[in-house]
Amino acid sequence: MNDKESNAEDAADDGINERHRERMRRKKSVVDGKIAKATLTGGVLIVNAGNGKGKSSSAFGMVMHALGNGMKVGVVQFIKGAMSTGEEIFLRRFPGEVSFHSMGEGYTWETQDSERDISKAQAAWETARGFLRDPAVGLVVLDELNIALKYRYLDVQTVITDIQSRPEMQHVVVTGRGAPPEMIEAADTVTEMQVVKHAFAAGVTAQAGVEW
């Protein structure tokens, strides 16, 4: 490449960089404006729903955020409980910061006993109520609560009233497929996980460190 070609290439790169800087300046102005308007503080209700993988994983990511910020955490699992999971084994190492209650007996197609499932869900909700009334608990994770609501093991209006009556600065994360419309309406943030591909469809079994 001769000097003339090199100079032309440099000039083209400079033009690309300048256009990029200008786009980023405009974007920064928009983002900064939105940040300036976001002045409210308070506990938020987050719902992770949908058929895709990652609902509980996202919730336990928030547990890490909370612990890193010195908050106490309460976890209630409504369906899970028939087997230990990696998150339960790990978080039980921090009994002073995390109160972990895995109160289900497994997937509904395994338990095949609706009366017992209802009883377990109601007992789990009583535990959840204890967290929702405690201002010392900064984050409450209600794992697979949506499924308990979907099967009408719990009354959705009672659940929402209890959540909305919680301490002002307390955050709540609800997970599970089939989130009822009332829960979505009550939430501040809703994320629906969609399936694009899943290894299980190709015959890959659930594995430690990935599914539990």
Side-chain angles (χ1 to χ4, degrees), residues 4-152:
K4 185 175 181 180
E5 290 173 333
S6 178
N7 290 338
E9 186 173 288
D10 290 344
D13 290 343
D14 289 344
I16 291 170
N17 288 333
E18 182 53 39
R19 288 193 295 274
H20 174 75
R21 281 192 291 270
E22 181 56 32
R23 285 196 301 271
M24 293 304 103
R25 280 194 288 266
R26 291 196 299 269
K27 184 171 184 178
K28 176 175 169 54
S29 178
V30 171
V31 172
D32 286 350
K34 291 180 179 180
I35 292 173
K37 292 179 181 179
T39 59
L40 302 177
T41 59
V44 294
L45 171 58
I46 296 172
V47 174
N48 296 336
N51 294 331
K53 176 176 168 53
K55 298 178 287 295
S56 297
S57 299
S58 174
F60 286 110
M62 281 194 61
V63 172
M64 301 301 106
H65 294 324
L67 293 177
N69 283 282
M71 299 164 67
K72 291 186 180 296
V73 178
V75 178
V76 180
Q77 293 188 307
F78 284 81
I79 301 298
K80 298 168 184 172
M83 60 176 287
S84 293
T85 60
E87 61 264 22
E88 179 182 1
I89 293 168
F90 176 75
L91 291 174
R92 286 195 186 282
R93 300 176 187 175
F94 307 94
E97 293 82 19
V98 182
S99 183
F100 200 112
H101 299 264
S102 188
M103 302 186 69
E105 292 187 332
Y107 299 115
T108 53
W109 60 84
E110 295 287 356
T111 59
Q112 301 179 14
D113 186 339
S114 62
E115 289 187 4
R116 186 166 177 81
D117 288 341
I118 290 169
S119 177
K120 298 294 287 187
Q122 290 175 345
W125 188 248
E126 287 305 311
T127 299
R129 274 181 168 152
F131 292 138
L132 293 169
R133 293 169 179 164
D134 187 351
V137 178
L139 173 67
V140 179
V141 175
L142 304 174
D143 194 27
E144 307 290 4
L145 172 60
N146 285 334
I147 295 177
L149 295 173
K150 175 183 176 181
Y151 287 110
R152 303 182 186 278

Side-chain angles (χ1 to χ4, degrees), residues 125-192:
W125 188 248
E126 287 305 311
T127 299
R129 274 181 168 152
F131 292 138
L132 293 169
R133 293 169 179 164
D134 187 351
V137 178
L139 173 67
V140 179
V141 175
L142 304 174
D143 194 27
E144 307 290 4
L145 172 60
N146 285 334
I147 295 177
L149 295 173
K150 175 183 176 181
Y151 287 110
R152 303 182 186 278
Y153 296 163
L154 299 167
D155 177 68
V156 65
Q157 293 299 339
T158 299
V159 165
I160 290 173
T161 297
D162 287 342
I163 291 174
Q164 291 177 332
S165 300
R166 71 191 188 277
E168 182 181 3
M169 296 304 295
Q170 187 181 81
H171 306 300
V172 176
V173 187
V174 173
T175 77
R177 303 182 183 201
E182 297 92 336
M183 182 64 72
I184 292 173
E185 177 64 25
D188 299 291
T189 299
V190 180
T191 300
E192 184 164 346

